Amino acid sequence: MHITARVDYAVRALLEIAGAQPDAAKADGIAAAQAIPPKILETVLAELRRAELVRSRRGPDGGYRLARPPAEISIADVIRAMEGPLASVRGQRPEDVAYGGAARPLQQVWIALRVNIRAVLEQVSIADIAAGDLPGFVAELTSDPGAWTRRPVPDGTPSVVLRGEKGEPSVERWR
């Protein structure tokens, strides 16, 4: 799964807004606190407003507030607001794709993937992150050393350059 910059910015903006409650958070304060370019933040906040995750008010007492309690805003809600469905296959929902022949079971793999994405993202709220009190299953999942290990990718852009035993560059591709 690829988490876009827009989703990352949106979650971080919501965390700043949650931290400002009951007061409103100002866009310039959010941008500065999270190092989000102001023009991009404006777009992100407008999308969050259209998705009814935040409310805004103009004027000296204005700013942004959460549209509902932070415990009722999941990370899945934010991703859906910014990017659409959590899992899609060529732009279609997994239940809408069909394969024939040897690929027939592939649809079940895509649906299982979506179930697992939902299992995490729908159970972690803005309140959880803001309080630094993540659900126990997150600690369980991240306590596995394999969760922190990058996997080699046969093709793609090199993202890590390692040095061999004699110091010569050795490019490895990871994901």
Side-chain angles (χ1 to χ4, degrees):
M1 175 174 193
H2 176 75
I3 305 298
T4 65
R6 289 169 9 112
V7 167
D8 183 58
Y9 292 157
V11 171
R12 290 166 41 207
L14 289 169
L15 290 167
E16 287 296 321
I17 295 167
Q21 292 193 118
D23 297 326
K26 306 280 188 194
D28 58 343
I30 296 168
Q34 292 297 321
I36 300 172
K39 288 290 185 191
I40 293 173
L41 180 62
E42 284 178 32
T43 303
V44 166
L45 291 169
E47 289 183 49
L48 292 172
R49 194 173 52 246
R50 275 191 293 279
E52 299 180 353
L53 295 178
V54 298
R55 292 187 319 256
S56 65
R57 193 165 116 193
R58 295 181 187 263
D61 294 330
Y64 292 88
R65 288 184 171 83
L66 298 179
R68 55 188 197 237
E72 295 178 15
I73 301 173
S74 73
I75 302 306
D77 293 334
V78 181
I79 293 171
R80 288 181 183 116
M82 301 305 293
E83 300 294 335
L86 294 178
S88 64
V89 180
R90 300 181 323 256
Q92 296 180 313
R93 296 181 186 277
E95 66 272 15
D96 294 336
V97 298
Y99 302 103
R104 187 176 313 256
L106 185 55
Q107 180 191 40
Q108 290 177 301
V109 173
W110 301 147
I111 290 173
L113 172 68
R114 181 178 61 188
V115 167
N116 278 289
I117 290 171
R118 284 177 176 171
V120 173
L121 299 177
E122 289 180 348
Q123 299 304 312
V124 178
S125 72
I126 294 298
D128 296 331
I129 298 169
D133 188 24
L134 298 175
F137 72 86
V138 173
E140 283 181 41
L141 290 170
T142 58
S143 69
D144 175 3
W148 299 90
T149 305
R150 295 178 181 176
R151 304 290 193 264
V153 176
D155 297 311
T157 306
S159 58
V160 177
V161 177
L162 302 174
R163 299 282 174 193
E165 289 180 17
K166 297 180 182 176
E168 70 280 359
S170 169
V171 176
E172 303 245 353
R173 294 180 175 102
W174 300 88
R175 225 179 243 160

